[in-house]
Amino acid sequence: MTAWQWLGVAAVALLFFWGVGAYNRLMSLRNAIGEAFSQLDTHLKERGELCERLLAAVAPRLPSEQATFDALASAQAESQAATQAVRGKPWAPDPVGTLAVAGALHAAALTRLLSLLDHQAELRSEAEIDALVSELKLVERQRAFTRQVFNQAVTQYNEALQQFPTRILANLYGFTAARSL
């Protein structure tokens, strides 16, 4: 083989190994989004269970606030359905967008309930309800942290997709931008 042929083989080998490395990096970053969502999903499940327990404890005592309870129950159902849709592909932008909207509705309904409970001193003085509210607030802080981790994973993935020449490979293999929450 001539020197030019060796140079050609080396260039092809270099491109091949670069392509494999870039593909593996994109897959690793996309898998990191999945791992981050898995942690977030755990906190979303905990929040859902706590909301159901809190509603069960409070609703019978405040029948005049049924609209607030119904709004939270509805928001919880929407959030669970959206979460289920995201579980399969947490890097897909459409299901994550639906989850973001459902999460905002859930947060607003939960804020209304907690505000209502703040004005009901006799309910908050009950140990069970106070413990549920405290635990719910803790889970919300943890959820906010894991949401931030998820968003950072999405940002790293999206930045890798934008970099040249990886962008060419990403388009070739169908990698698309992810959406943060």
Side-chain angles (χ1 to χ4, degrees), residues 73-156:
S74 174
Q76 178 61 33
E78 286 181 39
S79 181
Q80 286 176 339
T83 302
Q84 181 65 31
V86 172
R87 282 187 189 122
K89 290 185 177 181
W91 55 86
D94 291 338
V96 173
T98 303
L99 179 59
V101 170
L105 292 173
H106 191 279
L110 183 58
T111 299
R112 282 193 303 271
L113 176 63
L114 293 177
S115 177
L116 173 71
L117 290 177
D118 283 342
H119 292 84
Q120 301 290 331
E122 66 278 355
L123 286 178
R124 282 300 301 269
S125 65
E126 293 184 27
E128 176 191 9
I129 293 173
D130 191 49
L132 285 170
V133 169
S134 296
E135 194 173 348
L136 187 57
K137 287 180 179 179
L138 174 65
V139 167
E140 277 297 292
R141 286 192 299 273
Q142 292 170 337
R143 186 194 60 79
F145 176 76
T146 55
R147 179 181 170 198
Q148 183 181 8
V149 170
F150 174 81
N151 288 341
Q152 287 173 342
V154 166
T155 299
Q156 289 175 341

Side-chain angles (χ1 to χ4, degrees), residues 2-85:
T2 68
W4 286 108
Q5 289 173 328
W6 281 110
L7 190 58
V9 168
V12 168
L14 183 66
L15 281 174
F16 174 77
F17 287 116
W18 166 81
V20 169
Y23 178 84
N24 287 340
R25 179 172 178 247
L26 290 174
M27 286 301 295
S28 176
L29 290 169
R30 194 163 80 174
N31 289 340
I33 293 172
E35 291 170 16
F37 183 77
S38 171
Q39 294 173 0
L40 180 61
D41 189 25
T42 300
H43 294 298
L44 291 171
K45 286 178 189 175
E46 287 179 58
R47 179 181 71 174
E49 292 169 4
L50 288 169
C51 284
E52 289 173 10
R53 289 174 43 204
L54 185 60
L55 284 175
V58 173
R61 296 179 178 131
L62 294 173
S64 63
E65 298 296 336
Q66 192 61 41
T68 301
F69 305 139
D70 290 344
L72 181 58
S74 174
Q76 178 61 33
E78 286 181 39
S79 181
Q80 286 176 339
T83 302
Q84 181 65 31

